[in-house]
């Protein structure tokens, strides 16, 4: 079944109705993001920030944060500012990733990239603006949460973004460009940091805000590590098997640049098998939560069946 925004659900998910769940959550996140960032003077930078923030996307990171907050007994209102902040950070990482100094891409989320519309100088600042505003937004807009939990989430997200997370992964990725002898361990390092780190922070932030026990947070972290790597393996496969129209960005760049990817190590079929194995492990980690884990198991299935 093809869902809004290219999402697919297998028939066994329909009992849970992943389609309705994701559509409802996406709409709530869109509305909260829209409210989070009004355009004020100097309009140019706010327009550049909003251009990429409101350009669509699956909103997977905010949806995961809201889901674990509910799983741990909290409300989606408690997690919404953090959820929006995670999407702001994800968006800024895409803006910077697309810059000529990095991946040099012209399209993202089906639209021209930020620097193509606003220029490189403003695109860099739009990314910086979103990054700083994300932390301000968590700190000022979160209501009804113990301040110590909030502080833990701020530290968690900060770590996921910096040299211990996205930045570290990106730097090793750039270092490996043009090298043919990189190992699977290096490839795992890159993607555990570039891709999985923010997904991990997304998954456990909601549970922390809701006051989950350390045992619950640990189980969710293991779930997140598994879906994080599976997400990247699927991303690498889609870069080969999809079209630019389907993905909303240029495709086949890894192959052209002879960049190491999971399919370049394992081939497409084995990459699919490995991703499937990670998804099974992720689901096993949250099985103990029973019915409450239905959104997380359905999202895990979605990650492997997604078409964009
Ligand atoms: C974070 C301070 C800071 C700087 C950025 C450029 C950079 C450092 C890191 C690169 C991070 C990056 C672009 C990782 C790729 C992650 C990935 C697989 C993105 C695609 O995510 P989807 O499919 O995209 O969820 P949508 O558009 O649906 O949101």
């Amino acid at each position: 079944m093809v869902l809004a925004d290219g999402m697919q659900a297998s028939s066994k998910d329909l009992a849970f109705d992943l389609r309705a769940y994701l559509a409802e959550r996406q709409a709530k996140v869109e509305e909260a993001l829209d409210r989070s960032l009004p355009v004020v003077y100097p309009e140019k930078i706010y327009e550049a920030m909003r251009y990429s923030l409101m350009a669509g996307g699956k909103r997977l990171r905010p949806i995961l944060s809201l889901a674990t907050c509910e799983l741990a007994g909290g409300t989606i209102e408690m997690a919404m500012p953090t959820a929006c902040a995670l999407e702001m950070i994800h968006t800024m990482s895409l803006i910077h990733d697309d810059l000529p100094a990095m991946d040099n891409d012209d399209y993202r989320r089906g639209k021209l990239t930020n620097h193509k519309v606003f220029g490189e100088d403003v695109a860099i600042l739009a990314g910086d603006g979103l990054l700083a505003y994300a932390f301000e937004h968590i700190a000022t807009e979160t209501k009804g949460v113990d301040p110590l939990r909030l502080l833990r989430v701020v530290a968690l997200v900060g770590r996921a973004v910096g040299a211990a997370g996205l930045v570290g992964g990106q730097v090793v990725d750039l270092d490996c460009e043009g090298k043919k002898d990189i190992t699977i361990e290096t490839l795992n390092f890159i993607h555990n940091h570039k891709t999985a780190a923010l997904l991990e922070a997304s998954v456990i932030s909601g549970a922390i805000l809701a006051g989950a026990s350390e045992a619950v947070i640990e189980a969710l972290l293991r779930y997140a590590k598994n879906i994080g790597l599976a997400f990247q393996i699927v991303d690498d496969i889609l870069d080969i098997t999809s079209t630019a129209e389907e993905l909303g960005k240029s495709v086949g760049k890894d192959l052209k640049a002879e960049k190491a990817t999971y399919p370049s190590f394992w081939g497409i079929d084995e990459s699919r098998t490995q991703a499937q194995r990670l998804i099974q492990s992720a689901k096993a980690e949250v099985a103990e939560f029973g019915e409450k884990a239905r959104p997380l198991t359905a999202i895990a299935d979605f990650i492997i069946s997604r078409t964009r």
Side-chain angles (χ1 to χ4, degrees):
M1 170 174 284
V2 179
L3 307 178
D5 204 15
M7 294 179 170
Q8 287 201 332
S10 61
S11 54
K12 67 179 169 353
D13 294 325
L14 295 179
F16 166 70
D17 205 348
L18 176 66
R19 178 199 178 97
Y21 175 82
L22 290 174
E24 188 248 352
R25 290 302 153 99
Q26 280 171 344
K28 280 201 160 73
V29 169
E30 292 298 329
E31 196 202 338
L33 285 172
D34 195 21
R35 270 189 285 111
S36 73
L37 192 62
V39 175
V40 292
Y41 181 80
E43 288 84 0
K44 185 202 263 187
I45 190 66
Y46 289 95
E47 276 157 10
M49 289 158 76
R50 281 186 63 93
Y51 174 80
S52 294
L53 187 64
M54 302 311 297
K58 296 179 285 294
R59 310 309 196 192
L60 195 60
R61 292 150 192 85
I63 289 173
L64 282 166
S65 186
L66 300 177
T68 63
C69 188
E70 278 189 315
L71 179 144
T75 62
I76 62 171
E77 288 74 23
M78 286 163 76
M80 191 56 94
T82 297
C84 289
L86 290 160
E87 189 64 26
M88 289 173 199
I89 290 168
H90 170 56
T91 300
M92 75 74 50
S93 80
L94 301 178
I95 296 173
H96 281 195
D97 194 53
D98 292 335
L99 287 168
M102 304 246 184
D103 268 9
N104 194 17
D105 271 308
D106 291 352
Y107 288 94
R108 173 72 71 173
R109 292 175 165 172
K111 297 173 71 171
L112 282 171
T113 44
N114 201 287
H115 65 271
K116 282 276 158 192
V117 177
F118 297 95
E120 268 183 70
D121 47 1
V122 174
I124 292 168
L125 292 169
D128 294 345
L130 282 168
L131 180 59
Y133 190 58
F135 288 95
E136 179 186 341
H137 194 67
I138 299 178
T140 58
E141 297 304 316
T142 308
K143 308 279 186 279
V145 173
D146 175 345
L148 285 178
R149 290 183 202 157
L150 201 55
L151 207 54
R152 185 172 172 187
V153 165
V154 168
L156 169 80
V157 176
R159 189 170 170 82
V161 171
L166 268 76
V167 168
Q170 181 75 352
V171 118
V172 178
D173 195 14
L174 293 173
D175 248 9
C176 287
E177 257 175 37
K179 288 190 187 157
K180 291 200 190 314
D181 57 348
I182 86 154
T183 62
I184 191 76
E185 286 75 24
T186 304
L187 192 66
N188 284 340
F189 180 94
I190 291 170
H191 296 305
N192 282 331
H193 291 78
K194 257 186 83 166
T195 301
L198 196 60
L199 288 166
E200 285 164 32
S202 303
V203 168
I204 66 170
S205 58
I208 293 171
L209 291 168
S213 70
E214 292 309 312
V216 169
I217 293 167
E218 283 300 317
L220 290 173
L221 185 59
R222 290 192 296 272
Y223 162 89
K225 285 182 184 300
N226 282 303
I227 63 161
L229 212 48
F231 189 88
Q232 183 61 48
I233 296 173
V234 172
D235 219 63
D236 285 356
I237 295 172
L238 290 176
D239 184 61
I240 299 170
T241 59
S242 283
T243 63
E245 289 68 37
E246 279 171 318
L247 290 189
K249 61 179 181 182
S250 47
V251 291
K253 280 193 73 174
D254 295 342
L255 215 60
K256 265 186 235 137
E258 294 183 342
K259 204 169 159 179
T261 63
Y262 289 101
S264 76
F265 267 92
W266 297 327
I268 291 186
D269 288 349
E270 177 60 15
S271 298
R272 277 210 182 93
T273 305
Q274 294 281 350
Q276 191 61 59
R277 192 182 53 75
L278 289 162
I279 292 300
Q280 291 310 331
S281 303
K283 288 175 11 180
E285 293 295 351
V286 294
E288 64 179 294
F289 306 126
E291 279 299 298
K292 281 193 292 184
R294 291 302 295 278
L296 294 185
T297 54
I299 291 169
D301 282 330
F302 160 66
I303 283 172
I304 195 117
S305 61
R306 71 194 176 98
T307 55
R308 64 180 287 180

